[in-house]
Amino acid sequence: MPSIPRSGRYRVEREVLDEQKLEELTKRKTLSEIHKPLTDRLKDSLRCTLPKLKRSIMSGFPVLYWLPKYSVWEYGMPDLVSGISVGIMHLPQGTFTVLSIMVGSVTERLAPDEIFLTTNGTNLTSEVDIAARDSYRVQVAATTTVLGGLIQVLLGVIKFGFVGTYLSEPLVRGYTSAAAAHALVAQLKHLFGVSPRRYSGLLSQVYTLLDVCLSLPKTHLPTLLVSSATIVLLISAKELNSFLSTKLPVPLPVELITIVAATLISSTAHLNNNYSVSVVGEIPSGLSAPTVPNLSLFGEVIGDAFALAIVGYAVSISLGKTFALKHGYKVDSNQELVALGFSNAVGGFFQCFSVCASMSRSLIQETTGGKTQMAGVASALIVLVTILKLGMLFQELPKAVLASIVIVNMKGMFKQYSDVCTLWRRSKMDLVVWLVTWVSTMLLNLDLGLAASIIFALFTVTFRTQMPTYSVLGNVPGTELYVDIETHREAREVPGVTIFRSSATVYFANAELYLEALKEKSGLDISKMIIYKRRQEAKQRRRERRAERRAKRQAKREKRGQKAATQHAEPPEFSVEEEEEAGGWRDTHIDMKAAEKEEDSWTERENGTVFVIPATPRTPDGCSRWEYLKGGDPDTTSLGWMSELQDGDTTTLGSSSEDTLSQDLEQVSLGSLGKWTWDIHSIILDLSTANFIDTVGIQTLKNIFRDFSEIDVDIYVCGCQACVVEQLVLGDFFSETIRKQHLFVSVHDAVLHCLNHRGAALLPRYDPTQALQSGTKF
């Protein structure tokens, strides 16, 4: 327990640890010992060992990890039912809507109808060779898909998946909510049986939705009836499933039953022929032979392939993170890239086009009870068998039924719109990220919307570090804890010490703000104080020169007086040199009067600086009271009164005969520059929140040490992490004036050092005995 003798010095039962003592105590390694040479690190990365090889294989092929542990009894039936439901959903649709539009725009750009016009010999009219056009468009789509897949594999190999870490939960939820809105807009035409125009590019969703709304008067009533009935039945069945979930061994395959029933009803009632209800139609059978993509098109489609690769990855990783958060598992971003890339690269040889995770089918797989990747295997088998043999059985399935299934299964995504209310209560900044992501994705589509969202999210990080919380810390009596004095009533300031902390690291974006906050919190406007000090020093040098000249003149007068006394009757004669000195004295006197006038006017203009002005007229006994200003308007600033100054000279401030007052003023002027009672002798900068510091931050700290030393204030730094200390060393922060003894392990170590070093400057308003006494050993 510390004891405090009358001398004001503090004695503790453990050594106060600064950075130098800590290094000696722990024998910290040098930088060369911590960081291996590049050649050694390269050798380690290329060295192949059996455990390292095993980890690489398991990470590259996760199926080798989870398949041996697969439980058929626990997961078999849910995965089978889910796989069949999703597989049937795959039959009439292609891949993700946005990717389909992006691939379609590439094919239309490189294979427009105009270059496939042929002349009919009978009536000399031009017609489009549809077979040739479609064949070339398939080549373009397959080539773009292969190139996009190769790009994804390359990005996965170089660990580009780290970009997934910038997809925060509000961003992902806003992005998937907007993607759900995209999917909803794409299904509206099937729900109402209308045929809106096809749009692509910026604001395409707005134009499509507007066109659908304008087409509502043309709604096909039989199609709307089928859609409404399907939605009602699906919602009722799902609620029944939820109610009986504890009694049913597996959930009822609602979607599968709906698809089979709708197909049978449509075939029996001939909905397509009798009521013009749109159905799936012919489903091609058989697989295309693999072909090599047209390599000559790589240069023309590389930009589109890169966009497809990024958008496909973004959609997949966003959905993956959404379900990972819901079910408590982790997604490997780089593995997702590699897997998606191989799927596209291999599929492109079979004339497939770019794919990614589908929101609607992922939701259906989850809601129908799918647990593992075996559900995906079941879906693939269903699609394969259907393409080869069973495609004709589902030709009469109404498209309105499929659209209804997609919309009902997006209920979970629509619930994410409640995030707006939740984030409004919890975090306004996260709410802004969510809203900006949703709006940009809706207006700019998924590719540009994702880029804009990530850029904005990074901007918010920069903004938060630019506008951190600055606080002055005080001691919690009886402990070694230091907390914000503005938010904790029991915290007490340590006498003579200001402990300053920022909630963010100090770097180029907030270095100036850090310095300004330090000035405000400490009450020391260092820039103005240094200017004032230097002006006072210049005035003092002028006074000294004037005093020296007066002494010389006085000596000459005495010498002339002695000479006149010896000569008696001879009048004193002035030499040319003496006359010049006399004239120079008069000129000097005039210059000083002008300087005084200039000083007074400067004082009036720069009232934000610290000044000393007469507050009461001088009394007959020579006493006067002086008011000490610190910033702001002299008429509104609350100030303290200093002790009276004695001086017999009644001339104005700055005159050549105020030596005594000038000396007294010089003694108190520095004391008047800071707080009203000038009770700060040390400032401790708590950098425990900093995880890095750049060259601008290092230079800012150097400037703080240099400037505050001019007004006799000691600066100390505490709480630096090892990486920050290393960066300070590399940045040449330490010098003859700034040593490692200025860095302390904790705030408490720095406080004890300040009180031992400058402990005489104690104030009666604070009892350090009460603050620092503790029942435990230090």
Side-chain angles (χ1 to χ4, degrees):
M1 185 168 64
S3 59
I4 305 173
R6 294 182 179 179
S7 62
R9 300 292 178 179
Y10 292 82
R11 184 173 71 251
V12 294
E13 296 185 9
R14 70 163 174 82
E15 186 178 15
V16 176
L17 292 179
D18 56 38
E19 188 64 29
Q20 185 67 37
K21 292 178 181 178
L22 179 65
E23 290 183 359
E24 296 173 357
L25 181 65
T26 59
K27 295 181 174 58
R28 178 177 292 172
K29 296 180 180 180
T30 61
L31 295 180
S32 59
E33 293 175 317
I34 297 174
H35 300 289
K36 292 183 179 180
L38 180 60
T39 55
D40 293 345
R41 282 183 286 171
L42 186 60
K43 289 179 182 178
D44 292 340
S45 64
L46 296 177
R47 185 177 291 113
C48 183
T49 61
L50 187 60
K52 189 175 182 180
L53 179 62
K54 182 179 178 180
R55 287 195 302 270
S56 300
I57 294 176
M58 297 294 284
S59 63
F61 301 94
V63 65
L64 299 177
Y65 173 78
W66 63 265
L67 187 58
K69 302 179 180 180
Y70 185 79
S71 174
V72 177
W73 295 106
E74 186 176 358
Y75 303 129
M77 186 57 67
D79 284 343
L80 180 62
V81 173
S82 175
I84 293 174
S85 300
V86 176
I88 295 176
M89 284 293 300
H90 274 297
L91 300 180
Q93 300 181 0
T95 182
F96 192 62
T97 305
V98 176
L99 288 190
S100 301
I101 295 174
M102 294 174 68
V103 173
S105 65
V106 179
T107 59
E108 290 178 357
R109 176 171 58 85
L110 296 182
D113 292 342
E114 290 77 12
I115 65 175
F116 296 98
L117 293 175
T118 59
T119 303
N120 190 333
T122 305
N123 51 14
L124 299 180
T125 58
S126 297
E127 296 181 354
V128 178
D129 188 347
I130 297 178
R133 182 200 64 184
D134 291 346
S135 176
Y136 188 68
R137 286 184 174 181
V138 168
Q139 289 187 36
V140 172
T143 302
T144 306
T145 300
V146 171
L147 184 56
L150 294 177
I151 291 174
Q152 287 173 331
V153 172
L154 178 62
L155 293 177
V157 170
I158 64 175
K159 308 298 182 183
F160 181 78
F162 77 91
V163 74
T165 60
Y166 295 104
L167 302 177
S168 64
E169 183 179 357
L171 190 149
V172 169
R173 293 176 71 86
Y175 187 75
T176 52
S177 298
H182 276 262
L184 174 62
V185 172
Q187 301 299 328
L188 289 178
K189 61 182 180 182
H190 300 303
L191 287 179
F192 296 100
V194 296
S195 300
R197 293 178 57 187
R198 180 178 176 182
Y199 297 93
S200 61
L202 302 181
L203 301 178
S204 60
Q205 295 301 307
V206 177
Y207 293 140
T208 301
L209 183 60
L210 181 61
D211 204 1
V212 169
C213 293
L214 294 176
S215 303
L216 287 180
K218 303 177 183 178
T219 298
H220 190 242
L221 293 180
T223 301
L224 180 60
L225 180 62
V226 171
S227 303
S228 303
T230 304
I231 291 175
V232 171
L233 290 174
L234 282 172
I235 293 176
S236 302
K238 284 184 174 293
E239 292 298 325
L240 181 63
N241 249 344
S242 300
F243 180 74
L244 300 176
S245 59
T246 57
K247 300 179 180 180
L248 295 175
V250 292
L252 294 175
V254 178
E255 288 79 7
L256 179 59
I257 295 174
T258 302
I259 290 173
V260 173
T263 303
L264 292 176
I265 294 173
S266 177
S267 301
T268 304
H270 301 288
L271 296 181
N272 184 27
N273 296 329
N274 296 336
Y275 302 99
S276 300
V277 175
S278 179
V279 295
V280 171
E282 183 181 358
I283 299 177
S285 60
L287 295 176
S288 302
T291 58
V292 178
N294 190 346
L295 301 181
S296 63
L297 293 175
F298 274 11
E300 298 183 67
V301 300
I302 185 170
D304 301 282
F306 186 81
L308 282 168
I310 297 299
V311 172
Y313 166 70
V315 173
S316 299
I317 197 65
S318 298
L319 288 173
K321 283 196 170 189
T322 299
F323 293 118
L325 289 171
K326 184 175 181 179
H327 298 285
Y329 60 87
K330 185 179 179 182
V331 179
D332 187 341
S333 302
N334 295 308
Q335 179 62 25
E336 290 294 318
L337 265 175
V338 173
L340 193 61
F342 272 118
S343 299
N344 285 324
V346 175
F349 283 89
F350 293 89
Q351 300 181 356
C352 299
F353 64 88
S354 190
V355 298
C356 69
S358 169
M359 177 175 296
S360 57
R361 272 149 285 199
S362 298
L363 289 170
I364 291 174
Q365 178 171 322
E366 187 215 15
T367 55
T368 52
K371 300 296 183 182
T372 70
Q373 291 92 328
M374 291 302 295
V377 175
S379 298
L381 291 177
I382 292 295
V383 173
L384 180 63
V385 172
T386 303
I387 289 176
L388 294 177
K389 298 295 181 181
L390 303 179
M392 63 180 66
L393 298 180
F394 296 97
Q395 291 181 359
E396 295 298 321
L397 177 63
K399 292 182 179 180
V401 173
L402 293 174
S404 301
I405 293 175
V406 170
I407 291 175
V408 170
N409 282 278
M410 285 195 299
K411 180 180 67 173
M413 288 297 172
F414 295 143
K415 285 183 177 179
Q416 292 183 167
Y417 285 92
S418 64
D419 291 349
V420 175
C421 299
T422 303
L423 293 177
W424 174 263
R425 295 191 304 268
R426 296 180 179 177
S427 173
K428 301 297 190 298
M429 187 61 70
D430 286 341
L431 174 61
V432 173
V433 171
W434 196 100
L435 292 175
V436 169
T437 301
W438 190 89
V439 172
S440 60
T441 304
M442 287 300 298
L443 299 183
L444 306 179
N445 288 336
L446 295 185
D447 48 356
L448 296 179
L450 176 66
S453 303
I454 293 178
I455 292 174
F456 181 79
L458 294 178
F459 172 75
T460 61
V461 174
T462 303
F463 176 76
R464 291 181 184 184
T465 57
Q466 272 191 306
M467 305 295 293
T469 301
Y470 298 104
S471 55
V472 174
L473 307 185
N475 176 254
V476 179
T479 71
E480 294 185 11
L481 300 178
Y482 294 84
V483 294
D484 188 353
I485 60 176
E486 294 183 359
T487 58
H488 296 78
R489 294 190 182 94
E490 297 300 321
R492 297 291 181 268
E493 285 192 78
V494 179
V497 180
T498 294
I499 308 169
F500 179 73
R501 181 172 66 189
S502 168
S503 61
T505 188
V506 184
Y507 72 116
F508 70 93
N510 63 7
E512 290 188 13
L513 300 175
Y514 183 87
L515 182 57
E516 293 298 323
L518 176 60
K519 294 177 184 178
E520 178 183 353
K521 293 292 185 179
S522 65
L524 306 176
D525 194 339
I526 191 67
S527 302
K528 295 181 179 180
M529 293 166 67
I530 290 177
I531 293 174
Y532 180 61
K533 178 187 175 183
R534 290 174 180 172
R535 294 183 70 88
Q536 294 296 325
E537 290 174 347
K539 288 172 61 178
Q540 181 63 26
R541 287 193 295 270
R542 292 198 298 269
R543 295 189 189 105
E544 292 174 355
R545 288 195 296 268
R546 292 199 301 270
E548 184 179 355
R549 287 195 294 269
R550 288 199 302 270
K552 289 181 179 180
R553 290 195 297 271
Q554 183 64 26
K556 290 182 180 180
R557 291 195 190 100
E558 292 177 355
K559 185 178 180 180
R560 286 197 299 270
Q562 293 175 359
K563 185 177 180 180
T566 56
Q567 293 180 356
H568 298 288
E570 286 188 33
E573 296 180 0
F574 292 94
S575 63
V576 176
E577 180 181 357
E578 290 172 340
E579 290 181 355
E580 290 178 352
E581 289 181 357
W585 179 85
R586 289 191 295 271
D587 294 339
T588 302
H589 185 72
I590 295 172
D591 292 342
M592 287 308 303
K593 290 295 185 181
E596 293 166 14
K597 186 175 182 181
E598 179 185 358
E599 178 71 18
D600 292 340
S601 62
W602 182 81
T603 301
E604 294 175 359
R605 292 194 308 271
E606 303 291 338
N607 56 40
T609 310
V610 180
F611 299 105
V612 183
I613 62 174
T616 59
R618 186 175 298 276
T619 58
D621 60 357
C623 298
S624 178
R625 307 188 82 181
W626 296 82
E627 192 174 34
Y628 290 76
L629 301 181
K630 184 185 82 67
D633 187 352
D635 296 332
T636 59
T637 306
S638 177
L639 304 167
W641 289 91
M642 302 298 291
S643 60
E644 297 180 353
L645 301 176
Q646 303 290 336
D647 197 319
D649 192 354
T650 58
T651 56
T652 59
L653 180 64
S655 67
S656 60
S657 58
E658 59 171 3
D659 294 338
T660 305
L661 177 60
S662 298
Q663 293 174 2
D664 291 338
L665 180 59
E666 283 300 313
Q667 291 175 1
V668 301
S669 62
L670 284 181
S672 69
L673 293 178
K675 291 187 176 179
W676 314 132
T677 54
W678 187 238
D679 59 347
I680 295 179
H681 56 70
S682 302
I683 293 178
I684 299 173
L685 306 178
D686 181 7
L687 297 186
S688 57
T689 58
N691 59 348
F692 76 94
I693 187 168
D694 61 0
T695 55
V696 177
I698 292 175
Q699 187 60 45
T700 300
L701 292 181
K702 284 183 177 181
N703 294 340
I704 290 174
F705 271 84
R706 180 197 63 203
D707 294 342
F708 279 90
S709 65
E710 288 201 33
I711 60 171
D712 197 28
V713 174
D714 297 331
I715 300 294
Y716 300 97
V717 178
C718 69
C720 293
Q721 302 181 40
C723 59
V724 175
V725 175
E726 178 181 331
Q727 291 164 359
L728 291 174
V729 172
L730 295 175
D732 295 328
F733 175 72
F734 300 102
S735 61
E736 294 182 358
T737 57
I738 306 176
R739 302 183 303 277
K740 286 191 176 180
Q741 285 83 350
H742 288 91
L743 267 68
F744 288 87
V745 177
S746 66
V747 175
H748 193 63
D749 286 284
V751 168
L752 293 178
H753 173 81
C754 293
L755 295 179
N756 282 324
H757 183 59
R758 302 280 291 269
L762 301 178
L763 295 181
R765 62 183 173 85
Y766 179 76
D767 184 4
T769 304
Q770 178 186 1
L772 294 179
Q773 280 184 348
S774 174
T776 58
K777 301 293 183 182
F778 274 56

